[in-house]
Amino acid sequence: MYVCLEGIDGSGKSTHTAMIEKWLKKCGIQVFRIFEPTDSKVGRLIREMLQDPGATDENFQRTLALLFAADRTILMEKIAQAESEGRVVVSDRCFYSSMVYQDGPEWIGEINKFARKPDVTLLLDLDPETAMTRCKGSDSFEDLKFLSRTRTRYLELAEKEGFFIVNADNGINKVHDDIKHVLAPKLGMCI
């Protein structure tokens, strides 16, 4: 099974992918945790570029979209390998991020045509003002207007694609419990 957590910066994706991994391992389930961008050469280039003050610029975002698509192509083989070994793949982001962060969903879909859709996608939904507070002092490049637009796009995509929406403002333990309530039945587990 391939599970992905999506959401704007500050929504808790990294925290909760780690918590899911710990929970599943405690239950005896093998896990392969991944994140985007990856730690490949392409992923490291993306991380470096995200530090640029102009990272939210439309042309810059197009370049990032192409790099993310390349990084995902590398990642797809690793996901397939992990699943063939019986591991649950838990991802901090997937190609859905490009669908909401970069313009042109048809183009984004085309350049990501080799990226596999997750079996389960959870959107950690958070108010952009709260996200900005959580990201203060980090290397997040977004501003409030950009995050607001991105959140709106996430909510639209969630409705279209059938994501599970989790209120990421409920506190870390409540959010984790909400995630477990979505995933446990999909994995044939009790909570």
Side-chain angles (χ1 to χ4, degrees), residues 142-159:
E142 288 96 342
D143 58 33
L144 187 59
K145 181 179 173 184
F146 187 76
L147 277 182
S148 296
R149 183 193 79 178
T150 303
R151 179 186 185 221
T152 298
R153 288 179 174 181
Y154 262 128
L155 291 170
E156 290 168 356
L157 188 61
E159 185 175 328

Side-chain angles (χ1 to χ4, degrees), residues 29-92:
I29 296 173
Q30 292 184 325
V31 179
F32 179 56
R33 184 164 58 111
I34 57 176
F35 51 90
E36 290 191 12
T38 69
D39 58 0
S40 72
K41 288 180 182 179
V42 176
R44 288 191 300 272
L45 176 60
I46 293 168
R47 289 182 192 285
E48 181 181 321
M49 290 179 69
L50 286 172
Q51 303 306 309
D52 190 293
T56 59
D57 175 73
E58 190 175 326
N59 287 327
F60 203 103
Q61 284 293 307
R62 283 190 197 111
T63 302
L64 285 172
L66 290 165
L67 290 170
F68 270 108
D71 197 35
R72 281 185 198 109
T73 301
I74 297 166
L75 190 56
M76 288 302 106
E77 186 176 318
K78 293 179 181 180
I79 290 172
Q81 178 66 35
E83 286 188 311
S84 74
E85 295 167 355
R87 294 190 277 171
V88 173
V89 178
V90 180
S91 181
D92 177 340

